[in-house]
């Protein structure tokens, strides 16, 4: 299972109007990037995990990505700790003054370390927030929600098709790696980082060619069905805001305002 794939369910969050879910995604993303208080971000993170539990989504779907995320978080933390300006020095210059050009650089400050951890915490919350929306919303309802919010159907279809292609590309990547493994090419399992970087062209080239071929076939199929011939189109399914959707939207606005207020007052 990928973080983009729809996970069927009958929970309250599954039944929410897709426009409310899109509003949740947009509003909370803005709030997460504004908030700088660790305690407030922890509250948002706990809220998202509670929604995961209420929607009965498998946490192992996101847990499988933690190995990659952990490497990214360590890299970002070290990067920010080295280059973020600060006054409280934690580690003195890693590169001594005797080194030409780069000498005297590489000071790790407390402010830089905290800022790196803050960025990682924000990314972790976002990684949990996005699948909460995509895994509880069918892709065609997501497109319909975007159209009802004012986006043209062509752009909405393009955006949702791009999202829908991610699981397909992940599956095709696995197929290519399996085919290479059958030929004795095991660099991605046993190779070093340098060997893996050199092996990526052998993976990316067939993946891109396959994606271009699939896009061409999709374009032909869309032309055969006269996609975009009429400006006004009809839908098999339609959506309408119900009372519980308005209540959820109101709770979201109040919650966002409360977190922002807490960020500036705590």
């Amino acid at each position: 299972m990928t973080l983009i794939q729809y996970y069927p369910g009958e929970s309250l969050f599954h039944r929410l109007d897709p426009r409310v879910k899109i509003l949740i995604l947009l509003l909370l993303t803005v709030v997460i990037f504004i908030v700088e208080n660790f305690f407030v971000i922890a509250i948002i993170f706990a809220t998202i995990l509670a929604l995961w539990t209420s929607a009965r989504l498998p946490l192992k779907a996101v847990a499988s990505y933690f190995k990659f995320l952990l490497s990214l978080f360590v890299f970002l933390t070290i990067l920010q700790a080295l280059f973020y300006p600060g006054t409280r020095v934690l580690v003195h210059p890693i590169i001594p003054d005797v080194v030409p050009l780069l000498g005297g650089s590489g000071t790790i400050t407390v402010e830089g370390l905290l800022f790196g951890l803050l960025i990682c915490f924000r990314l972790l919350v976002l990684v949990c927030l996005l699948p909460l929306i995509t895994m509880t919303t069918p892709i065609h309802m997501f497109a319909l929600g975007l159209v009802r919010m004012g986006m043209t159907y062509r752009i909405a279809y393009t955006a949702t098709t791009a999202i829908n292609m991610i699981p397909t590309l992940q599956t095709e990547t696995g197929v290519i790696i399996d085919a290479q493994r059958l030929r004795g090419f095991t660099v991605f399992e046993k190779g070093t980082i340098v060997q893996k970087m050199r092996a990526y062209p052998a993976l990316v080239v067939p993946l891109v060619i396959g994606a271009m071929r699939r896009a061409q076939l999709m374009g032909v199929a869309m032309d055969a069905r006269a996609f975009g011939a009429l400006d006004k189109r009809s839908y098999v399914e339609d959506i309408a805001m119900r009372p519980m959707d308005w209540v959820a939207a109101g709770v979201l606005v109040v919650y966002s305002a409360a977190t922002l207020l807490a960020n500036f007052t705590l």
Side-chain angles (χ1 to χ4, degrees):
M1 175 176 289
T2 68
L3 297 181
I4 305 297
Q5 185 178 357
Y6 174 60
Y7 189 79
E10 296 296 331
S11 68
L12 177 62
F13 201 83
H14 277 84
R15 297 197 301 271
L16 281 180
D17 191 285
R19 286 168 290 188
V20 178
K21 297 179 186 178
I22 294 172
L23 182 63
I24 291 174
L25 178 63
L26 296 177
L27 203 53
L28 285 188
T29 300
V30 173
V31 170
I32 290 168
F33 276 103
I34 292 176
V35 171
E36 296 180 345
N37 188 304
F38 279 94
F39 179 69
V40 177
I41 295 183
I43 292 176
I44 299 174
F45 185 52
T47 304
I48 293 174
L49 290 183
L51 292 175
W52 268 76
T53 304
S54 66
R56 297 180 180 178
L57 297 177
L59 285 174
K60 64 179 182 181
V62 70
S64 61
Y65 289 85
F66 278 167
K67 184 179 180 181
F68 166 75
L69 290 174
L70 184 61
S71 303
L72 178 64
F73 290 165
V74 171
F75 173 75
L76 287 176
T77 303
I78 294 175
L79 194 68
Q80 294 299 328
L82 286 174
F83 295 102
Y84 189 84
T87 56
R88 290 178 290 175
V89 178
L90 193 64
V91 177
H92 289 288
I94 296 175
I95 304 176
D97 295 333
V98 295
V99 178
L101 299 179
L102 298 178
S105 61
T107 302
I108 297 178
T109 62
V110 175
E111 291 86 351
L113 188 61
L114 291 177
F115 188 70
L117 293 175
L118 178 64
I119 290 179
C120 295
F121 203 6
R122 284 172 174 167
L123 289 178
L124 178 62
V125 177
L126 287 176
V127 167
C128 293
L129 173 61
L130 179 60
L132 178 65
I133 308 301
T134 55
M135 294 176 72
T136 58
T137 312
I139 197 68
H140 66 282
M141 297 301 289
F142 199 81
L144 185 56
L146 291 175
V147 172
R148 290 290 181 255
M149 293 177 77
M151 185 178 289
T152 61
Y153 184 75
R154 285 177 178 271
I155 297 177
Y157 182 82
T158 303
T160 53
T161 301
I163 295 174
N164 205 27
M165 285 290 287
I166 294 176
T168 304
L169 291 177
Q170 288 182 330
T171 303
E172 192 163 328
T173 301
V175 171
I176 295 173
I177 292 177
D178 288 341
Q180 293 174 341
R181 189 184 297 122
L182 288 175
R183 294 171 172 80
F185 190 77
T186 58
V187 171
F188 289 109
E189 289 82 16
K190 302 177 181 177
T192 62
I193 295 178
V194 176
Q195 290 174 330
K196 289 179 180 179
M197 292 179 66
R198 290 178 178 174
Y200 269 111
L203 172 65
V204 173
V205 171
L207 186 65
V208 171
I209 292 176
M212 293 174 66
R213 186 178 301 163
R214 186 176 296 101
Q216 186 180 23
L217 292 175
M218 185 180 295
V220 172
M222 291 169 63
D223 289 338
R225 289 167 173 78
F227 179 83
L230 301 176
D231 294 332
K232 188 176 182 180
R233 57 173 290 122
S234 58
Y235 299 90
V236 176
E237 295 181 73
D238 207 348
I239 54 177
M241 291 286 285
R242 296 160 295 177
M244 73 172 190
D245 297 317
W246 289 110
V247 171
V251 171
L252 171 67
V253 173
V254 173
Y255 178 84
S256 302
T259 51
L260 289 177
L261 181 63
N263 175 66
F264 294 114
T265 54
L266 291 180

